[in-house]
Amino acid sequence: MSILVVGSLAFDDIETPFGNSPDTLGGSSTYIALSASYFTDDINMVGVVGADFTDEHFDLLHSRNIDTKGIQRIDNGKTFRWAGRYHYDMNSRDTLDTQLNVFADFDPHVPEQYRKSEFVCLGNIDPELQVKVLDQITAPKMVICDTMNFWIEGKPEELKKTLERVDIFIINDSEARILSGDPNLVKSARIIRAMGPKILIIKKGEHGALLFTDNGIFAAPAYPLESIYDPTGAGDTFAGGFIGHLSRCKSVTDLDLRKSVLYGSAMASFCVEKFGTERLNALDLLEIEDRYQSFLDLSRIEA
């Protein structure tokens, strides 16, 4: 099934205890689309870039069969840039610089051929823009949405209007506590699901992820990696793997959702092994299935 991905495309200057990676391809929609591309070859992107986003960058997306007709290129502008430094524990970071550039005036226009997309994945952008995207979609079967504390605190009412139209909401644990106003994640999930999305995923970084549905709670483990080079984009990569697997399921059962969480977790575990999208650029399906099996083995108890 077709997937529409709307979000940011960016260049990141990344510093971690393991090294530096300047001018690294990034952005929420980039990670989502690259991750999802291993599960389906029908992915459409909507975004905006500047003249510094070269044919080489487009070629990378095209090599993964990602349609980029919805990406507007501003010839006299520069692509969104972010610079950050991660601390030794890799769980916290300092933003050193943010340059919105052409992204400051991003006005998402969904091409006619994208408007019948069955799955819509809204990356971390202004909730008013997320609603604008949904207004252009004909009849999506599933809407998946991400956000961040900047929008939760800065545009709470606009975000709540978006959530009324969302089927699956993905956020991290600190964002869940801010949005719900409750420190307990189980209570937070109940409060957030009452805002609209019946399916909620709370990411917990190195501690895995929680899936909340009408039928209960599923806890997915994190993959025990010896080396984590760069956590940038891991959450978006998770979303891409999640929606990618879900799009190839014939239905959306609790079992399908749980498998999708594990595939999302598997893709995120690859992402952090290298800087930026480097690890996502050249995976193979056998690697992904092996990593997915490893996630199954982590919690399996033989009778």
Coordinates of all heavy atoms in Angstrom, one line a residue, residues 187-267:
K187 N -1.1 6.0 33.0 CA -2.1 7.1 33.1 C -2.0 8.0 31.9 O -3.0 8.5 31.3 CB -2.0 7.8 34.4 CG -2.4 7.0 35.6 CD -2.3 7.8 36.9 CE -2.6 7.0 38.1 NZ -2.5 7.8 39.4
S188 N -0.7 8.4 31.6 CA -0.5 9.3 30.4 C -1.1 8.7 29.2 O -1.7 9.5 28.4 CB 1.0 9.5 30.2 OG 1.5 10.2 31.3
A189 N -0.9 7.4 28.9 CA -1.4 6.8 27.7 C -3.0 6.9 27.7 O -3.5 7.2 26.6 CB -1.0 5.4 27.7
R190 N -3.6 6.7 28.8 CA -5.1 6.7 28.8 C -5.6 8.2 28.5 O -6.5 8.4 27.7 CB -5.6 6.3 30.2 CG -7.1 6.5 30.4 CD -7.6 5.9 31.7 NE -6.8 6.4 32.8 CZ -7.0 7.6 33.4 NH1 -7.9 8.4 32.9 NH2 -6.3 7.9 34.5
I191 N -4.9 9.2 29.1 CA -5.2 10.6 28.8 C -5.0 10.9 27.3 O -5.9 11.6 26.7 CB -4.4 11.5 29.7 CG1 -4.8 11.2 31.2 CG2 -4.6 13.0 29.4 CD1 -3.8 11.9 32.2
I192 N -3.9 10.5 26.8 CA -3.6 10.9 25.4 C -4.5 10.2 24.4 O -5.0 10.8 23.4 CB -2.1 10.6 25.1 CG1 -1.2 11.5 25.9 CG2 -1.8 10.7 23.6 CD1 0.3 11.1 25.9
R193 N -4.8 8.9 24.7 CA -5.7 8.1 23.8 C -7.1 8.7 23.8 O -7.8 8.6 22.8 CB -5.7 6.7 24.2 CG -4.4 6.0 23.9 CD -4.4 4.5 24.3 NE -5.3 3.7 23.5 CZ -6.3 3.0 24.0 NH1 -6.4 2.8 25.3 NH2 -7.0 2.3 23.2
A194 N -7.5 9.3 24.9 CA -8.8 10.0 24.9 C -8.9 11.2 24.1 O -9.9 11.7 23.7 CB -9.1 10.4 26.4
M195 N -7.7 11.7 23.6 CA -7.6 12.9 22.8 C -7.9 12.6 21.3 O -8.1 13.4 20.5 CB -6.3 13.6 22.9 CG -5.9 14.1 24.2 SD -4.2 14.8 24.2 CE -4.1 15.2 26.0
G196 N -7.9 11.3 21.0 CA -8.2 10.9 19.6 C -7.5 9.6 19.1 O -8.2 8.7 18.7
P197 N -6.2 9.5 19.2 CA -5.6 8.3 18.7 C -5.8 7.1 19.5 O -5.5 7.0 20.7 CB -4.1 8.7 18.7 CG -4.0 9.7 19.7 CD -5.3 10.5 19.7
K198 N -6.4 6.0 19.0 CA -6.7 4.8 19.7 C -5.5 3.9 19.9 O -5.5 3.1 20.8 CB -7.9 4.0 19.0 CG -9.2 4.8 19.0 CD -9.6 5.3 20.4 CE -10.9 6.1 20.4 NZ -11.2 6.7 21.7
I199 N -4.5 4.2 19.1 CA -3.3 3.4 19.2 C -2.1 4.4 19.6 O -1.9 5.4 18.9 CB -2.9 2.7 17.9 CG1 -4.1 1.7 17.6 CG2 -1.6 1.9 18.0 CD1 -4.0 1.2 16.2
L200 N -1.4 4.1 20.6 CA -0.4 5.0 21.1 C 0.9 4.2 21.3 O 0.9 3.1 21.9 CB -0.8 5.7 22.4 CG 0.3 6.5 23.1 CD1 0.6 7.8 22.3 CD2 -0.1 6.9 24.5
I201 N 2.0 4.7 20.8 CA 3.3 4.1 21.1 C 4.2 5.2 21.8 O 4.3 6.3 21.4 CB 4.0 3.8 19.8 CG1 3.2 2.7 19.0 CG2 5.4 3.2 20.0 CD1 3.7 2.4 17.6
I202 N 4.7 4.8 23.0 CA 5.6 5.6 23.7 C 7.0 5.0 23.7 O 7.2 3.9 24.1 CB 5.1 5.7 25.2 CG1 3.7 6.4 25.3 CG2 6.1 6.5 26.0 CD1 3.2 6.5 26.7
K203 N 7.9 5.7 23.0 CA 9.3 5.3 22.9 C 10.0 5.6 24.2 O 9.9 6.7 24.7 CB 9.9 6.0 21.7 CG 9.2 5.7 20.4 CD 9.8 6.6 19.3 CE 9.5 8.0 19.5 NZ 10.0 8.9 18.4
K204 N 10.9 4.7 24.6 CA 11.7 4.9 25.8 C 13.2 4.8 25.6 O 13.9 4.4 26.5 CB 11.2 3.9 26.9 CG 9.7 4.0 27.3 CD 9.3 2.9 28.1 CE 10.0 2.8 29.4 NZ 9.7 1.6 30.2
G205 N 13.6 5.1 24.3 CA 15.0 5.1 24.0 C 15.6 3.8 24.2 O 15.2 2.8 23.7
E206 N 16.7 3.8 25.1 CA 17.4 2.5 25.3 C 16.7 1.5 26.1 O 17.1 0.4 26.4 CB 18.8 2.8 26.0 CG 18.6 3.5 27.4 CD 19.9 3.7 28.0 OE1 20.9 3.1 27.7 OE2 20.0 4.6 28.9
H207 N 15.4 1.9 26.6 CA 14.6 1.0 27.4 C 13.4 0.4 26.6 O 12.5 -0.1 27.2 CB 14.1 1.7 28.6 CG 15.2 2.3 29.5 ND1 16.1 1.5 30.1 CD2 15.6 3.6 29.8 CE1 17.0 2.2 30.8 NE2 16.7 3.5 30.6
G208 N 13.4 0.6 25.3 CA 12.4 0.0 24.4 C 11.2 0.9 24.1 O 11.4 2.1 24.1
A209 N 10.1 0.2 24.0 CA 8.9 1.0 23.6 C 7.6 0.3 24.2 O 7.6 -0.9 24.4 CB 8.8 1.1 22.1
L210 N 6.6 1.1 24.4 CA 5.3 0.6 24.9 C 4.2 0.9 23.9 O 4.1 2.0 23.3 CB 4.9 1.3 26.2 CG 5.8 1.0 27.4 CD1 5.4 2.0 28.6 CD2 5.8 -0.4 27.8
L211 N 3.4 -0.2 23.6 CA 2.3 0.0 22.7 C 1.0 -0.1 23.5 O 0.8 -1.1 24.2 CB 2.3 -1.2 21.6 CG 1.1 -1.4 20.8 CD1 0.9 -0.2 19.8 CD2 1.2 -2.7 20.0
F212 N 0.1 0.8 23.3 CA -1.2 0.9 24.0 C -2.3 0.8 23.0 O -2.4 1.6 22.1 CB -1.3 2.1 24.8 CG -0.3 2.3 25.9 CD1 0.9 2.9 25.7 CD2 -0.6 1.9 27.2 CE1 1.9 3.0 26.7 CE2 0.3 2.0 28.3 CZ 1.6 2.6 28.0
T213 N -3.2 -0.2 23.2 CA -4.4 -0.4 22.3 C -5.6 -0.7 23.2 O -5.4 -0.8 24.5 CB -4.2 -1.5 21.3 OG1 -4.2 -2.8 22.0 CG2 -2.9 -1.4 20.5
D214 N -6.7 -0.8 22.6 CA -7.9 -1.2 23.4 C -7.8 -2.5 24.1 O -8.5 -2.8 25.1 CB -9.2 -1.2 22.5 CG -9.6 0.2 22.1 OD1 -9.3 1.2 22.8 OD2 -10.3 0.3 21.1
N215 N -6.9 -3.4 23.5 CA -6.7 -4.7 24.0 C -5.6 -4.9 25.0 O -5.4 -6.0 25.5 CB -6.5 -5.7 22.9 CG -7.7 -5.7 21.9 OD1 -8.9 -5.7 22.4 ND2 -7.5 -5.8 20.6
G216 N -4.9 -3.8 25.4 CA -3.9 -3.9 26.4 C -2.6 -3.3 26.1 O -2.6 -2.4 25.2
I217 N -1.6 -3.7 26.7 CA -0.2 -3.0 26.6 C 0.8 -4.1 26.2 O 0.8 -5.2 26.6 CB 0.2 -2.4 28.0 CG1 -0.8 -1.5 28.5 CG2 1.6 -1.8 27.8 CD1 -0.5 -1.0 29.9
F218 N 1.6 -3.7 25.2 CA 2.7 -4.5 24.8 C 4.0 -3.8 25.0 O 4.2 -2.6 24.6 CB 2.6 -4.8 23.3 CG 3.7 -5.6 22.7 CD1 4.1 -6.9 23.1 CD2 4.5 -4.9 21.7 CE1 5.2 -7.5 22.5 CE2 5.6 -5.6 21.2 CZ 5.9 -6.9 21.6
A219 N 5.0 -4.5 25.7 CA 6.3 -3.9 26.0 C 7.3 -4.5 25.1 O 7.6 -5.7 25.1 CB 6.6 -4.0 27.4
A220 N 8.0 -3.7 24.2 CA 9.0 -4.2 23.3 C 10.4 -3.9 23.9 O 10.6 -2.7 24.4 CB 8.9 -3.5 22.0
P221 N 11.3 -4.8 23.9 CA 12.6 -4.5 24.5 C 13.5 -3.6 23.6 O 13.1 -3.4 22.4 CB 13.2 -5.9 24.6 CG 12.6 -6.7 23.5 CD 11.2 -6.1 23.4
A222 N 14.5 -3.1 24.1 CA 15.5 -2.4 23.2 C 16.6 -3.4 22.9 O 16.9 -4.4 23.6 CB 16.1 -1.2 24.0
Y223 N 17.2 -3.2 21.7 CA 18.3 -4.2 21.3 C 19.6 -3.8 22.0 O 20.0 -2.7 22.0 CB 18.4 -4.1 19.8 CG 19.3 -5.2 19.3 CD1 18.9 -6.5 19.2 CD2 20.6 -4.9 18.8 CE1 19.7 -7.5 18.7 CE2 21.4 -5.9 18.3 CZ 20.9 -7.3 18.3 OH 21.7 -8.3 17.8
P224 N 20.2 -4.8 22.6 CA 21.5 -4.5 23.4 C 22.7 -4.3 22.4 O 23.3 -5.3 22.0 CB 21.6 -5.7 24.3 CG 20.9 -6.8 23.6 CD 19.8 -6.2 22.8
L225 N 23.0 -3.1 22.1 CA 24.1 -2.8 21.2 C 25.4 -2.5 22.0 O 25.3 -1.8 23.1 CB 23.8 -1.6 20.3 CG 22.7 -1.8 19.3 CD1 22.3 -0.5 18.7 CD2 23.2 -2.7 18.2
E226 N 26.5 -2.9 21.6 CA 27.8 -2.6 22.2 C 28.2 -1.2 21.8 O 28.9 -0.5 22.6 CB 28.9 -3.6 21.8 CG 28.7 -5.0 22.5 CD 29.9 -5.9 22.3 OE1 30.9 -5.4 21.8 OE2 29.8 -7.1 22.6
S227 N 27.9 -0.8 20.6 CA 28.4 0.6 20.1 C 27.2 1.3 19.6 O 26.5 0.9 18.7 CB 29.4 0.4 19.1 OG 30.6 -0.2 19.6
I228 N 27.0 2.5 20.1 CA 26.0 3.4 19.6 C 26.7 4.7 19.2 O 27.3 5.4 20.0 CB 24.9 3.8 20.6 CG1 24.2 2.5 21.1 CG2 23.9 4.8 20.1 CD1 23.2 2.7 22.2
Y229 N 26.7 5.0 17.9 CA 27.5 6.1 17.4 C 26.7 7.4 17.3 O 27.2 8.5 17.5 CB 28.1 5.7 16.0 CG 29.3 4.9 16.0 CD1 29.3 3.5 16.2 CD2 30.6 5.5 16.0 CE1 30.4 2.8 16.2 CE2 31.8 4.8 16.1 CZ 31.6 3.4 16.2 OH 32.8 2.6 16.3
D230 N 25.4 7.3 16.9 CA 24.6 8.5 16.7 C 23.1 8.2 16.8 O 22.6 7.5 15.9 CB 25.0 9.0 15.3 CG 24.1 10.2 15.0 OD1 23.5 10.9 15.9 OD2 24.0 10.5 13.7
P231 N 22.5 8.6 17.8 CA 21.0 8.4 18.0 C 20.1 9.3 17.2 O 18.9 9.2 17.2 CB 20.8 8.6 19.5 CG 21.8 9.6 19.9 CD 23.0 9.3 19.0
T232 N 20.7 10.2 16.4 CA 19.9 11.1 15.6 C 19.0 10.4 14.7 O 19.5 9.5 13.9 CB 20.8 12.1 14.8 OG1 21.7 12.7 15.7 CG2 20.0 13.2 14.1
G233 N 17.7 10.7 14.6 CA 16.8 10.1 13.7 C 16.3 8.7 14.1 O 15.5 8.1 13.3
A234 N 16.7 8.2 15.2 CA 16.3 6.8 15.6 C 14.8 6.7 15.8 O 14.2 5.7 15.4 CB 17.0 6.4 16.9
G235 N 14.2 7.8 16.4 CA 12.7 7.7 16.5 C 12.0 7.8 15.2 O 11.0 7.1 15.0
D236 N 12.5 8.6 14.3 CA 11.8 8.6 12.9 C 12.1 7.3 12.2 O 11.2 6.8 11.5 CB 12.4 9.8 12.1 CG 12.1 11.1 12.8 OD1 10.9 11.3 13.1 OD2 13.0 11.9 13.0
T237 N 13.3 6.7 12.4 CA 13.5 5.4 11.8 C 12.6 4.3 12.3 O 12.1 3.5 11.6 CB 15.0 5.0 12.0 OG1 15.9 6.0 11.5 CG2 15.3 3.7 11.3
F238 N 12.3 4.4 13.6 CA 11.4 3.5 14.2 C 10.0 3.7 13.6 O 9.4 2.7 13.2 CB 11.2 3.8 15.7 CG 10.1 3.1 16.4 CD1 10.4 1.9 17.1 CD2 8.8 3.6 16.4 CE1 9.3 1.2 17.7 CE2 7.8 2.9 17.0 CZ 8.0 1.7 17.7
A239 N 9.6 4.9 13.4 CA 8.3 5.2 12.8 C 8.2 4.6 11.3 O 7.2 4.0 10.9 CB 8.0 6.7 12.7
G240 N 9.3 4.8 10.6 CA 9.4 4.2 9.2 C 9.3 2.7 9.2 O 8.5 2.2 8.4
G241 N 10.0 2.0 10.1 CA 9.9 0.6 10.1 C 8.6 0.1 10.5 O 8.0 -0.9 10.0
F242 N 8.0 0.8 11.5 CA 6.6 0.5 12.0 C 5.6 0.6 10.9 O 4.9 -0.3 10.6 CB 6.3 1.4 13.2 CG 4.9 1.2 13.7 CD1 4.6 0.3 14.7 CD2 3.8 2.0 13.2 CE1 3.3 0.1 15.1 CE2 2.5 1.8 13.6 CZ 2.3 0.8 14.6
I243 N 5.5 1.8 10.2 CA 4.5 2.0 9.2 C 4.8 1.1 8.0 O 3.9 0.7 7.3 CB 4.4 3.5 8.8 CG1 3.1 3.7 8.0 CG2 5.6 4.0 8.1 CD1 2.8 5.1 7.7
G244 N 6.1 0.9 7.7 CA 6.5 0.1 6.6 C 5.9 -1.3 6.7 O 5.3 -1.9 5.8
H245 N 6.2 -2.0 7.9 CA 5.7 -3.3 8.0 C 4.1 -3.3 8.1 O 3.5 -4.2 7.5 CB 6.2 -4.0 9.3 CG 5.6 -5.3 9.6 ND1 5.9 -6.4 8.8 CD2 4.7 -5.7 10.5 CE1 5.2 -7.4 9.3 NE2 4.5 -7.1 10.3
L246 N 3.6 -2.4 8.8 CA 2.1 -2.3 8.9 C 1.4 -2.2 7.5 O 0.4 -2.8 7.3 CB 1.7 -1.2 9.8 CG 0.3 -1.2 10.3 CD1 0.1 -2.4 11.2 CD2 0.0 0.1 11.1
S247 N 2.1 -1.5 6.6 CA 1.5 -1.3 5.3 C 1.4 -2.5 4.5 O 0.6 -2.6 3.5 CB 2.3 -0.2 4.5 OG 3.6 -0.7 4.1
R248 N 2.2 -3.5 4.8 CA 2.2 -4.8 4.0 C 1.3 -5.9 4.7 O 1.2 -7.0 4.2 CB 3.6 -5.3 3.8 CG 4.4 -5.7 5.1 CD 5.8 -6.1 4.8 NE 6.5 -6.6 5.9 CZ 7.8 -7.1 5.9 NH1 8.4 -7.1 4.8 NH2 8.3 -7.5 7.0
C249 N 0.7 -5.5 5.8 CA -0.2 -6.4 6.5 C -1.6 -6.3 5.9 O -2.0 -5.2 5.5 CB -0.3 -6.1 8.0 SG 1.2 -6.3 8.9
K250 N -2.3 -7.4 5.8 CA -3.7 -7.4 5.2 C -4.7 -6.7 6.1 O -5.7 -6.3 5.7 CB -4.1 -8.8 4.9 CG -3.2 -9.5 3.8 CD -3.7 -10.9 3.5 CE -2.9 -11.5 2.4 NZ -3.3 -12.9 2.1
S251 N -4.4 -6.7 7.4 CA -5.3 -6.1 8.4 C -4.4 -5.4 9.5 O -3.2 -5.5 9.4 CB -6.2 -7.2 9.0 OG -5.4 -8.1 9.7
V252 N -5.1 -4.8 10.4 CA -4.4 -4.2 11.5 C -4.9 -4.8 12.8 O -5.7 -4.2 13.5 CB -4.6 -2.6 11.5 CG1 -3.8 -2.0 12.6 CG2 -4.2 -2.0 10.2
T253 N -4.4 -5.9 13.1 CA -4.7 -6.6 14.4 C -3.7 -6.3 15.4 O -2.6 -5.7 15.1 CB -4.7 -8.1 14.2 OG1 -3.4 -8.6 13.9 CG2 -5.6 -8.5 13.0
D254 N -4.0 -6.6 16.7 CA -3.0 -6.4 17.7 C -1.7 -7.1 17.4 O -0.6 -6.6 17.7 CB -3.6 -6.8 19.1 CG -4.1 -5.7 19.9 OD1 -4.7 -4.8 19.3 OD2 -3.9 -5.6 21.1
L255 N -1.7 -8.3 16.9 CA -0.5 -9.0 16.5 C 0.3 -8.3 15.5 O 1.5 -8.2 15.6 CB -0.9 -10.4 16.0 CG 0.3 -11.3 15.6 CD1 1.3 -11.5 16.8 CD2 -0.2 -12.7 15.1
D256 N -0.4 -7.8 14.5 CA 0.3 -7.0 13.4 C 0.9 -5.8 14.0 O 2.1 -5.4 13.6 CB -0.7 -6.5 12.3 CG -1.3 -7.7 11.5 OD1 -0.6 -8.7 11.3 OD2 -2.5 -7.6 11.2
L257 N 0.3 -5.1 14.9 CA 0.8 -3.9 15.6 C 2.1 -4.2 16.4 O 3.1 -3.5 16.4 CB -0.2 -3.2 16.5 CG -1.4 -2.5 15.7 CD1 -2.5 -2.2 16.7 CD2 -0.9 -1.3 15.0
R258 N 2.0 -5.4 17.1 CA 3.1 -5.8 17.9 C 4.3 -6.1 17.0 O 5.5 -5.8 17.4 CB 2.8 -6.9 18.8 CG 1.7 -6.6 19.9 CD 1.4 -7.7 20.8 NE 0.4 -7.3 21.8 CZ 0.1 -8.0 22.9 NH1 0.8 -9.1 23.2 NH2 -0.8 -7.6 23.7
K259 N 4.1 -6.8 15.9 CA 5.2 -7.1 15.0 C 5.7 -5.8 14.4 O 7.0 -5.7 14.2 CB 4.7 -8.0 13.9 CG 4.4 -9.5 14.3 CD 3.9 -10.3 13.2 CE 3.7 -11.8 13.6 NZ 3.2 -12.6 12.4
S260 N 4.9 -4.9 14.1 CA 5.3 -3.6 13.5 C 6.2 -2.9 14.5 O 7.2 -2.2 14.1 CB 4.1 -2.8 13.1 OG 3.4 -3.4 12.1
V261 N 5.9 -2.9 15.8 CA 6.7 -2.3 16.8 C 8.1 -2.9 16.8 O 9.1 -2.2 16.9 CB 6.1 -2.4 18.2 CG1 7.1 -2.0 19.3 CG2 4.8 -1.5 18.3
L262 N 8.2 -4.2 16.7 CA 9.5 -4.9 16.7 C 10.3 -4.6 15.4 O 11.5 -4.4 15.5 CB 9.3 -6.4 16.9 CG 8.8 -6.9 18.2 CD1 8.7 -8.4 18.3 CD2 9.6 -6.3 19.4
Y263 N 9.6 -4.5 14.3 CA 10.3 -4.1 13.1 C 10.8 -2.7 13.2 O 11.9 -2.3 12.7 CB 9.4 -4.3 11.9 CG 9.4 -5.7 11.3 CD1 8.3 -6.5 11.4 CD2 10.6 -6.1 10.6 CE1 8.4 -7.8 10.9 CE2 10.6 -7.4 10.0 CZ 9.5 -8.3 10.2 OH 9.5 -9.5 9.7
G264 N 10.0 -1.8 13.8 CA 10.4 -0.4 14.0 C 11.6 -0.4 14.9 O 12.6 0.4 14.6
S265 N 11.6 -1.2 15.9 CA 12.7 -1.2 16.9 C 14.0 -1.7 16.2 O 15.1 -1.3 16.4 CB 12.3 -2.1 18.1 OG 11.2 -1.5 18.8
A266 N 13.8 -2.7 15.3 CA 14.9 -3.3 14.6 C 15.6 -2.3 13.7 O 16.8 -2.1 13.7 CB 14.5 -4.5 13.8
M267 N 14.8 -1.5 13.0 CA 15.3 -0.5 12.1 C 16.0 0.6 12.9 O 17.1 1.1 12.5 CB 14.2 0.1 11.2 CG 13.5 -0.9 10.3 SD 14.7 -1.7 9.2 CE 15.2 -0.3 8.2

